[in-house]
């Protein structure tokens, strides 16, 4: 195997300084990663370099930037923590060397496709927290010396500082954008029902003695509809704000699913029960926090009513250690360009113009699902409609009778 001369202390410091200069520069995250990888590859005299960042929600590593193996980013490679080469580095929080990739535990097929023979990787750790993994590879078999391993460790330490700062900067920008969107959207959406309630109240005060029964009934109905919309908007906004303040842990208990849905439908979906078909086994019980489950399914079904078309089916089954609850509508479906933003706060497609809501329902539902240890997934209908699947882990889940 190829092995070059050991690095002198001066040369090591020079190469480390090149990485540090990039890490401490005022760059966006993408620009920073691009500069870091060029310098890291040069410092280790490697053919490829890549950085994977930790997705804490899913506990896996996501390829974010690469040199020489750009396909890793283009294909959205994800590696579970503890699995494969990169996952092992993150789990063990130490450098890992693979001198023979062809006979090693490597989950990423692109590494073999590109003909990489040897790999060296190290964790990106800032203030004791693993943020990701950096690795370099060579197209010829190579024995990485102790001083080269030490160099990548030092490089990773310096790089982690820059990555953490860039991530924090991006997060601050994101939160500021959400705050501005929150104020603008809430103000706009609350104004309409609030104006209706105010208008009805003003009319009742000024003309209560001259209103005929039909007009009075219409005003009362309009006020009720506006009040329901106003209450829902306020509940969504409060729900969304609670996730930033870390509300107490949810309490899991057996929940009879069909009975729960039958009880919540009249109040949560007034006037819509006839549009909803429950395809849930009578005896099916899931372990969940009932209030959280109601918020998830309430928001998803409400989304189907507003943006889809009846009939709406709610299906459920147990198996494989999880409960899968599906909400299916027969509407026009969701455009491909918008599907990636479905669960983002305040996201609304062009088709939502004039429809009630502030774009928080699915974001709240996803947040609750993850608090329960599960996930809310979207599947496009074929050929029409949309399907949302709530997957909730269940202890000792058994197959439920259809």
């Amino acid at each position: 195997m190829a092995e070059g001369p050991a690095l002198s202390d001066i040369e090591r410091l020079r190469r480390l300084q090149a990485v540090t200069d990039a890490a401490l520069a005022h760059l966006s995250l993408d620009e920073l990663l691009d500069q870091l990888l060029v310098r890291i590859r040069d410092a280790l005299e490697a053919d490829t370099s890549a950085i994977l960042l930790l997705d804490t929600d899913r506990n896996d590593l996501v390829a974010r930037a690469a040199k020489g193996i750009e396909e890793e980013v283009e294909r959205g490679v994800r590696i579970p923590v503890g699995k494969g080469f990169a996952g092992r580095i993150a789990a063990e929080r130490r450098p890992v060397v693979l001198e023979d990739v062809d006979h090693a535990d490597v989950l990423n097929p692109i590494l073999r496709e590109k003909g990489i023979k040897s790999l060296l990787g190290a964790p990106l750790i800032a203030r004791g927290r693993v943020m990701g993994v950096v690795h370099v590879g060579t197209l010829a078999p190579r024995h990485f010396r102790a001083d080269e391993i030490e160099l990548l460790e030092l490089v990773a330490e310096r790089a982690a500082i820059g990555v953490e700062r860039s991530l924090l900067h991006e997060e601050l920008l994101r939160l500021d954008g959400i705050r501005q969107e929150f104020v603008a959207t809430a103000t706009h959406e609350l104004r309409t029902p609030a104006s209706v309630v105010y208008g009805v109240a003003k009319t009742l005060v000024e003309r209560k003695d001259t209103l005929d029964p039909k007009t009075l009934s219409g005003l009362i109905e309009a006020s009720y509809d506006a009040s329901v919309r106003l209450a829902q908007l306020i509940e969504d906004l409060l729900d969304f704000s609670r996730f930033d303040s870390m509300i107490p842990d949810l309490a899991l208990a057996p929940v009879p699913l069909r009975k729960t849905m039958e009880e919540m439908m009249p109040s949560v979906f007034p006037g819509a029960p006839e549009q909803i078909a429950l395809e849930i086994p009578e005896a099916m019980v899931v372990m969940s926090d009932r209030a959280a489950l109601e918020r998830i399914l309430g928001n998803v079904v409400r989304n189907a009513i507003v943006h889809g078309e009846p009939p709406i089916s709610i299906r459920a089954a147990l198996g494989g250690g999880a409960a899968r609850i599906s909400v299916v509508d027969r509407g026009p479906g969701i455009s491909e360009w918008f599907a990636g933003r479905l669960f983002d706060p305040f996201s609304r497609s062009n088709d939502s113009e004039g429809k009630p809501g502030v774009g928080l329902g699915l974001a709240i539902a996803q947040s609750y699902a993850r608090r329960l240890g599960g996930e809310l997934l979207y599947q496009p209908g074929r050929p029409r409609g949309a399907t949302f699947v709530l997957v909730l882990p269940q202890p000792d889940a058994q197959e439920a009778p259809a």
Side-chain angles (χ1 to χ4, degrees):
M1 287 188 181
E3 180 177 348
L7 298 172
S8 69
D9 290 342
I10 293 177
E11 178 65 12
R12 179 171 23 225
L13 289 172
R14 185 188 68 77
R15 295 185 182 186
L16 184 59
Q17 187 61 46
V19 175
T20 303
D21 289 344
L24 298 181
H26 295 283
L27 300 171
S28 69
L29 182 59
D30 289 334
E31 292 172 328
L32 172 66
L33 296 180
D34 184 72
Q35 292 297 317
L36 283 174
L37 287 180
V38 171
R39 286 163 167 77
I40 289 170
R41 185 175 60 178
D42 291 347
L44 273 297
E45 297 177 346
D47 299 303
T48 67
S49 57
I51 287 178
L52 298 88
L53 297 182
L54 180 65
D55 181 341
T56 54
D57 289 335
R58 296 176 55 172
N59 197 36
D60 58 16
L61 297 160
V62 185
R64 182 65 186 262
K67 294 295 178 184
I69 46 173
E70 285 76 8
E71 295 91 339
E72 189 167 352
V73 179
E74 293 168 4
R75 296 189 199 176
V77 169
R78 285 181 173 267
I79 306 294
V81 172
K83 305 291 185 181
F85 170 65
R88 182 180 158 199
I89 294 170
E92 298 179 5
R93 302 167 66 97
R94 66 176 183 84
V96 172
V97 177
L98 293 183
E99 294 186 351
D100 185 1
V101 170
D102 292 335
H103 297 87
D105 177 21
V106 174
L107 295 182
N108 182 2
I110 297 172
L111 299 176
R112 289 195 174 94
E113 290 173 14
K114 299 293 287 187
I116 296 173
K117 300 301 181 183
S118 300
L119 286 167
L120 168 63
L124 296 170
I125 300 176
R127 292 188 290 182
R129 182 168 65 97
V130 174
M131 308 190 66
V133 167
V134 57
H135 66 72
V136 296
T138 60
L139 298 175
R142 175 168 166 181
H143 172 72
F144 289 99
R145 301 184 311 273
D147 63 312
E148 291 174 322
I149 297 172
E150 182 184 3
L151 176 61
L152 185 60
E153 279 190 279
L154 292 171
V155 162
E157 287 179 12
R158 304 308 191 275
I161 297 172
V163 170
E164 181 190 41
R165 190 176 64 180
S166 290
L167 286 172
L168 288 173
H169 180 64
E170 280 197 350
E171 181 66 8
L172 288 174
L173 290 177
R174 186 186 72 84
L175 291 175
D176 186 60
I178 288 177
R179 180 187 62 80
Q180 293 183 33
E181 188 71 21
F182 181 98
V183 172
T185 305
T187 302
H188 174 75
E189 291 296 329
L190 290 171
R191 180 185 293 124
T192 300
S195 297
V196 172
V197 172
Y198 172 76
V200 170
K202 188 172 186 292
T203 301
L204 291 175
V205 168
E206 294 178 350
R207 299 177 51 197
K208 59 179 181 295
D209 297 328
T210 61
L211 293 174
D212 60 82
K214 184 177 180 180
T215 301
L216 180 61
S217 176
L219 287 173
I220 293 174
E221 184 174 347
S223 179
Y224 174 76
D225 290 343
S227 298
V228 169
R229 182 176 176 184
L230 191 60
Q232 183 61 52
L233 286 171
I234 292 173
E235 186 64 27
D236 282 346
L237 294 171
L238 287 174
D239 239 346
F240 180 68
S241 68
R242 290 186 191 116
F243 283 100
D244 286 339
S245 59
M246 296 300 292
I247 59 176
D249 290 339
L250 304 177
L252 301 184
V255 179
L257 187 57
R258 186 181 181 95
K259 181 181 178 182
T260 298
M261 291 302 301
E262 289 173 342
E263 291 176 352
M264 67 182 283
M265 283 169 61
S267 59
V268 177
F269 320 118
E274 68 278 1
Q275 303 177 17
I276 302 170
L278 293 181
E279 301 175 23
I280 303 172
E282 290 282 354
M284 183 171 175
V285 174
V286 296
M287 288 297 295
S288 179
D289 180 282
R290 176 163 178 160
L293 186 62
E294 289 182 353
R295 291 296 285 157
I296 296 169
L297 295 177
N299 283 350
V300 175
V301 175
R302 192 178 296 110
N303 181 79
I305 293 171
V306 173
H307 301 287
E309 292 177 8
I312 296 163
S313 301
I314 304 176
R315 306 164 182 166
L318 287 169
R324 298 177 67 86
I325 307 169
S326 304
V327 177
V328 185
D329 74 68
R330 275 74 174 181
I334 295 165
S335 59
E336 187 176 344
W337 70 268
F338 184 68
R341 298 184 54 209
L342 268 175
F343 301 106
D344 293 345
F346 302 107
S347 60
R348 286 169 60 84
S349 68
N350 295 335
D351 299 330
S352 301
E353 190 69 31
K355 295 181 179 179
V358 294
L360 282 177
L362 293 178
I364 291 169
Q366 181 68 283
S367 295
Y368 271 116
R370 290 177 174 173
R371 290 285 306 278
L372 290 168
E375 191 77 14
L376 183 61
L377 308 172
Y378 161 70
Q379 298 172 353
R382 291 179 176 83
R384 283 173 58 84
T387 298
F388 287 88
V389 183
L390 172 63
V391 182
L392 291 178
Q394 298 290 297
D396 306 318
Q398 303 295 321
E399 298 291 343

